[in-house]
Amino acid sequence: MDEVGRYDRRLRRFGLLEQTVGAHVSRATALRFAAREAVLFAALMSVVLVGAAAFTVPYRVVDLAVRRLGAHLEEEATYKVIGGLVIHTAWMGLVALLTGSRWGAGWGWLAVAALPGVAVATLLAWERERAVLATVRSYLAWQTLSPRAARALIGQRAGLARLMDETYAWLHGQESL
């Protein structure tokens, strides 16, 4: 569908998320969102910083190894998953071993238990904050978009929705034959 591609390219050109098109968000709502997210950002960035400190080395090792392999895009994800599993597991074991040898077995076992949770919490926090930033950028882009461009995007989206409804009706009608 060329029309869907054109719409998607226009959204990207304007820096918009699809859900922002035509959205009516009051300034008060936007300010409440910004205040809430600023507090959460401060809390979650500490999680991201701890995770980055703990996992930058294995992340870079996996990235470098995959680049050295010259993997095609289809293979890259597979190599990253397998390599990441092996290298991150070995890294966590090494960190736990070093922690245990330096501060005692109890701390080593605590590292074994805590590091996977730190890894998951880091990824969740990072992805959440990236999504919030994308939402804020999209909101600001929508607020500064010319009325003419906004109307054109809303109209283009409405046309796509009609096309999808017609396609659904046609497919549904085909099923009943």
Side-chain angles (χ1 to χ4, degrees), residues 3-4 19 29-30 35 42 82 100 114 123 143 147 152 158:
E3 193 61 32
V4 173
Q19 61 265 28
T29 300
I82 294 169
L123 286 173
Q143 296 304 308

Side-chain angles (χ1 to χ4, degrees), residues 10 16 28 30 49 71 80 91 100 103 121 130 143 161-162 166:
R10 287 183 83 189
L16 296 169
L49 291 173
K80 283 186 176 182
W91 176 258
W103 290 290
R130 284 183 55 197
Q143 296 304 308
R162 278 191 301 279
E166 290 168 7

Side-chain angles (χ1 to χ4, degrees), residues 5-177:
R6 278 194 292 275
Y7 178 68
D8 186 54
R9 285 189 297 279
R10 287 183 83 189
L11 289 178
R12 280 188 270 125
R13 186 176 67 236
F14 289 122
L16 296 169
L17 298 174
E18 205 288 321
Q19 61 265 28
T20 308
V21 175
H24 300 288
V25 178
S26 71
R27 290 204 192 278
T29 300
L31 288 173
R32 281 192 305 274
F33 176 83
R36 182 187 74 232
E37 291 305 321
V39 171
L40 288 170
F41 175 81
L44 292 176
M45 278 302 103
S46 62
V47 171
V48 169
L49 291 173
V50 167
F55 292 103
T56 295
V57 170
Y59 177 83
R60 293 292 176 207
V61 169
V62 170
D63 189 52
L64 180 64
V66 169
R67 279 198 232 161
R68 293 275 171 131
L69 287 172
H72 295 289
L73 186 59
E74 303 85 32
E75 301 167 328
E76 188 175 316
T78 302
Y79 289 148
K80 283 186 176 182
V81 168
I82 294 169
L85 181 64
V86 170
I87 291 171
H88 280 80
T89 301
W91 176 258
M92 287 187 281
L94 178 63
V95 168
L97 184 67
L98 293 174
T99 301
S101 68
R102 174 79 167 111
W103 290 290
W107 287 105
W109 285 112
L110 181 61
V112 166
L115 282 170
V118 169
V120 170
T122 301
L123 286 173
L124 292 175
W126 180 254
E127 289 302 319
R128 182 192 187 285
E129 291 309 306
R130 284 183 55 197
V132 168
L133 184 58
T135 300
V136 169
R137 282 185 186 145
S138 183
Y139 170 79
L140 293 173
W142 181 253
Q143 296 304 308
T144 59
L145 198 63
S146 74
R148 181 175 172 225
R151 283 191 304 276
L153 279 169
I154 291 169
Q156 191 175 13
R157 183 177 66 179
L160 285 171
R162 278 191 301 279
L163 178 62
M164 286 184 217
D165 287 344
E166 290 168 7
T167 302
Y168 176 82
W170 179 80
L171 288 171
H172 186 66
Q174 292 293 329
E175 289 178 13
S176 63
L177 291 177

